[in-house]
Amino acid sequence: MRSNGEGDREAVEGLVGSDPIIYQRAARMRRHLTPPEARLWRCLKGGNLHGVKFRRQHPIGPYILDFYCASAKLGIEVDGAAHGTPEQMAHDRRRTIWLETRGVTLLRYPALAIRDNLDGVLSGIRAAVTTR
């Protein structure tokens, strides 16, 4: 875990877990982004969106968010076809509730929206960052 002030604050707030398996899984996921995740990451990395820093495949508690902006406490999830199953939808609801009770706002975008309407997705993210 990082020792900078931001990481310490997140640990105190209960956002960063200490399970090494989660961190190993997140590292693997960072190396193997899906095509929609990779496309969105190119737009978010390096402060490309209003200078705001995003992390990819970032662990928070028992979950790994596709993208996370710590300064805005904003998570972004890219949902592929698997997110349409009843089991996955129930899991996504539990995850959203868990994150929201800890002050994290979660935006969900279908993978097809990133392919077909990237400008609209970036507008939504920009608006969320601005209001947070």
Side-chain angles (χ1 to χ4, degrees):
M1 186 181 311
R2 295 176 207 209
S3 61
N4 67 17
E6 188 174 308
D8 293 341
R9 185 173 58 252
E10 287 179 347
V12 169
E13 294 171 1
L15 294 180
V16 178
S18 59
D19 185 352
I21 293 171
I22 295 285
Y23 286 96
Q24 292 167 1
R25 184 169 169 236
R28 273 193 315 274
M29 292 170 75
R30 279 191 291 276
R31 289 189 300 270
H32 304 287
L33 295 177
T34 66
E37 289 170 345
R39 186 169 191 214
L40 184 55
W41 178 238
R42 284 190 296 274
C43 298
L44 298 177
K45 71 179 179 179
N48 285 338
L49 190 76
H50 286 312
V52 178
K53 180 181 178 183
F54 280 89
R55 300 171 186 161
R56 64 189 162 139
Q57 303 303 335
H58 180 71
I60 294 186
Y63 302 107
I64 300 171
L65 296 178
D66 290 337
F67 303 100
Y68 181 64
C69 174
S71 63
K73 288 184 86 170
L74 178 69
I76 301 169
E77 285 295 300
V78 178
D79 291 344
H83 287 267
T85 66
E87 298 81 17
Q88 188 61 48
M89 290 168 65
H91 172 74
D92 289 345
R93 276 192 299 278
R94 285 190 305 274
R95 170 192 228 185
T96 298
I97 291 167
W98 188 92
L99 290 164
E100 287 177 348
T101 61
R102 285 151 182 87
V104 176
T105 297
L106 189 61
L107 302 179
R108 303 191 84 84
Y109 291 101
L112 292 176
I114 293 167
R115 184 190 74 188
D116 298 338
N117 186 20
L118 182 60
D119 289 338
V121 169
L122 293 173
S123 266
I125 295 168
R126 201 175 294 116
V129 166
T130 302
T131 60
R132 300 277 301 163

